[in-house]
Amino acid sequence: MLERNVFKLAENVYWVGVRDWNRRLFDALISLPKGTSYNAYIVSGETAKALIDTVNPGFEKELEEKIRSLTPLEDLDYVVMNHAEPDHAGAIPHIMKVASKAKLVASSRGAKMAQVYYHVPQERIMVMADNDAINLGGKTLHFIEAPMLHWPETIFTYLEEDEILFPCDFFGAHLAGGIYSDEVEDYLVHAQRYWGEIMMPFRVMAQKALEKIAGLNIRVIAPSHGPIHRKPELILNAYRRWASGETRPKAVIAYVSMWNSTDTMVKQMAETLASEGVELALHNLAITDVGDLARDLVDSKAIVLGAPTFLGGAHPLAVYATYLFKALRPPTKFAVVLSSYGWGGGAVKHVQEILSSFKIEVVGALEINGPPREEHMQQLIGIGKALAQKIREET
Ligand code: FEO
């Protein structure tokens, strides 16, 4: 058989994933400027063969062709479903139909999802508890529960003999190209963006998972999106840092402006913070990429929200950004809210209401009528200096 568009990770361990070069949106929310990949892996032991994860719907035939270049698909004994989200599990109905003797391996929560989403009959599902294992003959797969990374049913699979960890979404990046992460320019920038979008809300669970895998010998980490880590310390160190909530003396300024008043306020705030030595990331919400904003929130100590009043509340884009900020749960400690209104305020109150259950210290807020005047600029400088002082004290 001719190996076709696959690559070898270890003896009898192959990547058989697919590259989605043209995908530009995930969850109808997250932009994918570099596409993504859905990585799947074949592990062949002396007595049994397993497929680890599948691919997004629409790529079933491509996956099948890749598997067939290594082994008859009908020979599969196990299909490991690390995670039930369709980008990894969407090809399960097709694979389970052709590989008619294969069992689906999943966590107990995963088993229920496999029945609901993919109509896998209960008798074809093998439920794995934490630390359970399957011996394929010289290749042992251990299963590690990793809830919420990225759904409640998620497990990692660890191939003992080759010291390869298959953690599905965890340690991933939305990149269609590349084989090894250490060969991809700016890999960690992409990984940080992915962390901000997908893993940051689950930092506590990520910390637990990192502790759980700390005792394993890991030679290779093979995630289900983006390049593979053959130098795992690079991504492990980054994940330890991000999961711990370590931040830098950095502020995100997320704003929108209709007639330049909020824009002028925000620019004065940026000048003050920059003069005080604070690293800045400005995001004009009318044109920014949500993924870039999420990436900058990963390691920022502060956020400045610029939210003009729009029909009695905050501008819809500012509401969206504030809601997203709250949902992504970044480790941000301090906030400032700035706003301008035409004939009636309310935006600052609106933003603060959305943030009310989020543990963050609002260092200052300024809501003004019309364009800022000199006294407002002085107030902004004062708020900026106070914010910079807070950031310095935390560093
Ligand atoms: Fe890549 Fe949570 O799926």
Side-chain angles (χ1 to χ4, degrees):
M1 249 172 275
L2 183 66
E3 292 173 13
R4 194 162 164 213
N5 301 334
V6 300
F7 64 84
K8 189 173 178 177
L9 267 72
E11 203 54 40
N12 295 320
V13 182
Y14 283 84
W15 174 89
V16 291
V18 301
R19 300 178 189 277
D20 197 347
W21 299 99
N22 293 316
R23 186 163 183 173
R24 286 293 175 269
L25 200 58
F26 201 90
D27 286 347
L29 175 70
I30 295 165
S31 69
L32 306 176
K34 304 276 185 185
T36 193
S37 64
Y38 316 111
N39 298 334
Y41 303 91
I42 285 280
V43 180
S44 301
E46 289 151 12
T47 55
K49 293 175 181 176
L51 172 67
I52 299 176
D53 291 326
T54 72
V55 296
N56 201 77
F59 292 92
E60 293 89 346
K61 287 289 176 191
E62 196 175 331
L63 173 65
E64 178 175 348
E65 193 176 291
K66 290 188 182 203
I67 296 171
R68 285 197 189 282
S69 77
L70 298 167
T71 183
L73 183 55
E74 293 76 6
D75 285 0
L76 272 188
D77 299 278
Y78 303 104
V79 177
V80 177
M81 188 186 77
N82 275 329
H83 175 27
E85 195 163 10
D87 51 329
H88 310 291
I92 281 176
H94 178 73
I95 297 293
M96 293 298 284
K97 187 174 167 194
V98 181
S100 55
K101 67 169 184 172
K103 296 273 191 196
L104 187 87
V105 177
S107 65
S108 58
R109 283 169 165 159
K112 290 191 189 103
M113 288 184 176
Q115 290 171 69
V116 170
Y117 276 76
Y118 308 114
H119 313 294
V120 181
Q122 196 170 7
E123 61 273 17
R124 289 192 69 190
I125 301 177
M126 280 176 67
V127 173
M128 291 288 125
D130 201 19
N131 295 320
D132 276 358
I134 292 177
N135 191 339
L136 307 176
K139 302 271 189 199
T140 314
L141 301 178
H142 294 262
F143 303 100
I144 302 159
E145 285 189 352
M148 302 317 298
L149 304 172
H150 152 234
W151 280 5
E153 85 301 349
T154 305
I155 53 174
F156 297 167
T157 300
Y158 176 65
L159 172 53
E160 181 187 327
E161 290 78 1
D162 297 296
E163 301 179 344
I164 302 175
L165 182 71
F166 302 95
C168 201
D169 278 340
F170 211 54
F171 302 122
H174 283 310
L175 289 166
I179 294 179
Y180 294 111
S181 57
D182 58 283
E183 293 174 339
V184 175
E185 192 183 7
D186 294 337
Y187 174 79
L188 282 180
V189 174
H190 298 288
Q192 181 170 331
R193 175 188 170 103
Y194 177 96
W195 168 275
E197 292 163 337
I198 296 162
M199 295 298 163
M200 189 161 64
F202 309 113
R203 275 194 295 129
V204 173
M205 305 311 281
Q207 280 176 344
K208 286 184 181 162
L210 289 169
E211 281 165 23
K212 246 177 161 176
I213 62 171
L216 300 176
N217 291 322
I218 298 175
R219 192 178 57 79
V220 170
I221 296 176
S224 290
H225 289 296
I228 288 162
H229 310 287
R230 62 183 170 183
K231 296 178 181 172
E233 279 308 310
L234 284 176
I235 193 71
L236 279 167
N237 284 337
Y239 265 50
R240 286 179 195 124
R241 209 166 55 242
W242 299 332
S244 74
E246 188 181 307
T247 51
R248 302 193 303 156
K250 173 178 168 186
V252 165
I253 300 184
Y255 72 102
V256 58
S257 189
M258 292 180 287
W259 293 103
N260 288 328
S261 297
T262 305
D263 184 87
T264 306
M265 297 171 83
V266 156
K267 298 282 168 59
Q268 179 56 65
M269 180 59 59
E271 284 291 336
T272 306
L273 291 172
S275 302
E276 294 285 322
V278 175
E279 183 186 336
L280 290 178
L282 252 75
H283 291 276
N284 179 342
L285 297 166
I287 53 172
T288 201
D289 180 299
V290 168
D292 288 341
L293 177 58
R295 183 199 64 218
D296 279 321
L297 288 172
V298 169
D299 56 3
S300 290
K301 278 204 195 305
I303 184 165
V304 176
L305 285 155
T309 295
F310 182 84
L311 300 175
H315 188 285
L317 287 177
V319 173
Y320 171 65
T322 311
Y323 181 82
L324 197 66
F325 173 81
K326 198 174 146 184
L328 292 176
R329 294 184 232 163
T332 319
K333 304 270 192 312
F334 309 111
V336 161
V337 188
L338 306 177
S339 181
S340 164
Y341 62 88
W343 62 92
V348 167
K349 185 166 168 265
H350 191 185
V351 166
Q352 286 180 322
E353 275 169 11
I354 300 171
L355 283 180
S356 60
S357 61
F358 193 84
K359 207 175 144 200
I360 194 162
E361 180 183 343
V362 179
V363 176
L366 184 62
E367 186 168 40
I368 64 170
N369 180 209
R373 296 181 295 279
E374 182 52 33
E375 73 258 33
H376 299 134
M377 299 308 248
Q378 292 303 324
Q379 283 176 279
L380 287 163
I381 291 169
I383 295 171
K385 284 179 183 270
L387 180 59
Q389 177 69 21
K390 288 276 184 187
I391 291 171
R392 272 196 298 274
E393 284 169 7
E394 262 282 325
T395 303

